[in-house]
Amino acid sequence: SQKIEQNSEALNIQEGKTATLTCNYTNYSPAYLQWYRQDPGRGPVFLLLIRENEKEKRKERLKVTFDTTLKQSLFHITASQPADSATYLCAPVDNAGNMLTFGGGTRLMVKP
Amino acid sequence: NAGVTQTPKFRVLKTGQSMTLLCAQDMNHEYMYWYRQDPGMGLRLIHYSVGEGTTAKGEVPDGYNVSRLKKQNFLLGLESAAPSQTSVYFCASRDQGEHYSGNTIYFGEGSWLTVV
């Protein structure tokens, strides 16, 4: 069965450092992969999308990589700030249907 | 522009009661989704709709029904609530488009449901 794995343990880092979050998937052949941010008590908000033919995508302090061989996406936040503290969700999307499946999310805590 | 609006935001139900969650979007989106989110489980798709008058089952549809009579509204019904349905429910919508276009999905703020 299809499975998406994100580190369920919180990631604690110091302000100014680079945070790296991992999303692994199995039994998928995603056409693209999306990353979302979710704050406590709020709905997820779209951040970035990377397509299967793209190795890397950047947006301001965010960088996403996509390795279809390893079946893995990495999400980086450079020069992290306490305001980056949130839960980050990945969502591989295949080209066969309309549904969107999410990983369980990784909580990031950036300490000042 | 309100985006995706869910009502009610909080509700406590007794086991066996019924209720309906309403999702409304003002972006003229074709696709709408209902998810539930539980600790350690992530977001799980309950039902979805690809257009007015259509509905389809997602990953965890049992115990829920949906209707999409109007394009802007997607209703989620619980006919006989059970404690296992205690959760946070999120509605989402996106525009029609090819999958490779990666249309952004917009989420509502969530509805907290407790079944006692």
Side-chain angles (χ1 to χ4, degrees), chain B:
Chain B
N1 202 353
V4 179
T5 304
Q6 295 181 226
T7 54
K9 192 168 180 65
F10 300 97
R11 183 75 185 269
V12 178
L13 281 178
K14 293 182 179 179
T15 298
Q17 284 185 319
S18 63
M19 76 158 296
T20 300
L21 295 175
L22 170 63
C23 177
Q25 52 95 2
D26 61 3
M27 297 172 282
N28 202 35
H29 285 170
E30 289 291 338
Y31 297 177
M32 297 188 73
Y33 308 82
W34 274 108
Y35 292 89
R36 60 178 288 172
Q37 188 172 38
D38 303 289
M41 300 292 290
L43 284 160
R44 292 184 292 169
L45 183 65
I46 304 171
H47 286 279
Y48 66 100
S49 167
V50 300
E52 181 179 317
T54 75
T55 62
K57 294 180 180 180
E59 181 185 358
V60 288
D62 294 341
Y64 304 95
N65 57 76
V66 288
S67 65
R68 184 98 181 267
L69 299 180
K70 292 183 179 180
K71 185 177 182 179
Q72 64 268 32
N73 295 336
F74 195 28
L75 278 63
L76 178 70
L78 285 71
E79 291 184 345
S80 180
S84 61
Q85 294 177 304
T86 294
S87 187
V88 183
Y89 292 86
F90 287 99
C91 177
S93 73
R94 75 170 176 90
D95 200 359
Q96 184 179 17
E98 295 178 1
H99 271 283
Y100 282 88
S101 67
N103 299 96
T104 299
I105 290 186
Y106 296 87
F107 283 85
E109 290 299 294
S111 295
W112 274 254
L113 177 64
T114 301
V115 183
V116 297

Side-chain angles (χ1 to χ4, degrees), chain A residues 30-100:
Chain A
Y32 56 94
L33 191 145
Q34 299 185 353
W35 282 89
Y36 287 77
R37 168 182 173 143
Q38 186 174 23
D39 292 289
R42 309 295 296 273
V45 175
F46 172 79
L47 293 176
L48 272 176
L49 172 152
I50 185 167
R51 294 180 172 79
E52 60 179 341
N53 59 351
E54 297 175 319
K55 296 297 183 185
E56 182 179 296
K57 196 78 167 283
R58 291 175 184 265
K59 179 183 178 182
E60 299 173 352
R61 294 185 296 111
L62 308 181
K63 184 180 85 171
V64 174
T65 62
F66 194 10
D67 190 324
T68 55
T69 301
L70 292 178
K71 294 187 180 295
Q72 180 182 79
S73 176
L74 298 178
F75 178 82
H76 307 271
I77 305 177
T78 59
S80 60
Q81 304 167 0
D84 295 326
S85 298
T87 296
Y88 292 86
L89 309 169
C90 73
V93 184
D94 63 34
N95 57 8
N98 301 302
M99 295 185 292
L100 191 64

